Amino acid sequence: ETGVTQTPRHLVMGMTNKKSLKCEQHLGHNAMYWYKQSAKKPLELMFVYSLEERVENNSVPSRFSPECPNSSHLFLHLHTLQPEDSALYLCASSQEGLAGTNTGELFFGEGSRLTVL
Amino acid sequence: GQNIDQPTEMTATEGAIVQINCTYQTSGFNGLFWYQQHAGEAPTFLSYNVLDGLEEKGRFSSFLSRSKGYSYLLLKELQMKDSASYLCAVRDLGYGQNFVFGPGTRLSVLP
């Protein structure tokens, strides 16, 4: 148990569906992240929220839409996805310090395995 | 830009020692991390280096040379449960202080 919970663990959706992934962290951290993990590829950073403000949008297609209503919750809204979006989506959190002192490690959730048909 | 390189796969025998290497290029180095990821599970934090030298944590040690852009993770007295992927990640000041991950090294420990 890492203190970061993701639901659902598995999701199968058609290309025209709308679904959402949910992440909740119980660690009191001030930053949350979405990563994409595809087979044989490095973890790809998608979005970063620090103090509930989005600070990174790593050229992610608009069919992925993040939402961070508070420091403990993070959502990834999915709409008209493509088969190549099938992957493991990992949520993570960390405790960020002052500028130049960010050394907090990431705590990951178990991931949501997404299959797009 | 960022680039992190690790071997794709390694195999070792139970009870042995294995060294997993990682080389990196970043715009602004601010720490190197190693994570362990068992199949179907979340990556978990193993170690952190920001200064040159060796950090030891039980059976696991991690080494960093900033001038060479090089790190390694050393696993001693290998156990079957050490079979997993090992991810090298660097905090990059030129990337918003965010983590850049390597492709991961899949380690298989054989009896």
Side-chain angles (χ1 to χ4, degrees), chain A residues 37 58 96 103-104 106 109, chain B residues 35 37 42 48 91 95 97-98:
Chain A
Q37 188 172 39
N58 210 25
E96 299 300 294
T103 58
L106 294 171
Chain B
Y35 287 84
Q37 186 177 23
Y48 164 70
R91 278 257 198 190
Y95 191 51
Q97 296 244 39
N98 291 310

Side-chain angles (χ1 to χ4, degrees), chain B residues 18-31:
Chain B
V18 72
Q19 178 175 312
I20 302 175
N21 296 324
C22 171
T23 57
Y24 65 87
Q25 293 175 308
T26 60
S27 304
F29 176 83
N30 193 28

Side-chain angles (χ1 to χ4, degrees), chain A residues 5-78:
Chain A
T5 305
Q6 289 187 243
T7 54
R9 293 292 309 277
H10 300 272
L11 178 63
V12 179
M13 59 187 290
M15 293 168 61
T16 58
N17 291 158
K18 287 185 182 180
K19 297 285 184 183
S20 296
L21 306 181
K22 179 183 175 182
C23 177
E24 184 175 359
Q25 59 101 355
H26 310 275
L27 301 168
H29 288 165
N30 58 10
M32 296 187 76
Y33 310 76
W34 280 115
Y35 281 88
K36 177 183 179 182
Q37 188 172 39
S38 305
K40 302 193 187 296
K41 292 177 69 175
L43 276 166
E44 301 173 55
L45 179 63
M46 300 177 71
F47 300 103
V48 181
Y49 277 83
S50 180
L51 299 173
E52 301 162 42
E53 286 190 25
R54 188 194 304 182
V55 296
E56 185 75 36
N57 176 356
N58 210 25
S59 303
V60 178
S62 60
R63 57 185 184 268
F64 295 92
S65 174
E67 179 189 359
C68 186
N70 55 60
S71 60
S72 300
H73 293 85
L74 186 65
F75 294 89
L76 188 63
H77 303 300
L78 315 171

